[in-house]
Amino acid sequence: MEKTLAQFKPGETGRVSKVTGEGMVKRRLFDMGITPGTEICLRKTAPLGDPLELRVRGYGLSIRKAEALSVLMSPAKVN
């Protein structure tokens, strides 16, 4: 079941299935390495839920919750 990155819980990992943002938002997400097929782990959120701290391609990244709403994710498979 797909959900947005903003709906992930801290510690949850998944793969990007689609980036729905438009224009500069989509360009910014792609420039940060958030592209379809990329594995992302939501490390933690700020106390009020914004921004989100992620682990993407081996580095740490923080994005706004509004940007995370543009990223559709598939949960990682549990082995």
Side-chain angles (χ1 to χ4, degrees), residues 17-68:
S17 57
K18 186 176 183 181
V19 178
T20 61
E22 294 183 8
M24 292 301 292
V25 172
K26 190 172 189 173
R27 178 80 255 163
R28 178 173 152 77
L29 292 169
F30 280 2
D31 288 348
M32 290 188 290
I34 300 175
T35 57
T38 303
E39 186 172 290
I40 297 177
C41 176
L42 176 61
R43 296 180 66 194
K44 60 184 175 181
T45 62
L48 296 177
D50 191 22
L52 311 174
E53 185 177 319
L54 312 172
R55 188 85 179 156
V56 180
R57 300 177 190 256
Y59 63 90
L61 178 68
S62 292
I63 65 171
R64 298 237 171 246
K65 193 170 187 177
E67 295 168 330

Side-chain angles (χ1 to χ4, degrees), residues 60-77:
L61 178 68
S62 292
I63 65 171
R64 298 237 171 246
K65 193 170 187 177
E67 295 168 330
L69 288 169
S70 300
V71 182
L72 290 178
M73 303 287 294
S74 299
K77 293 178 182 171

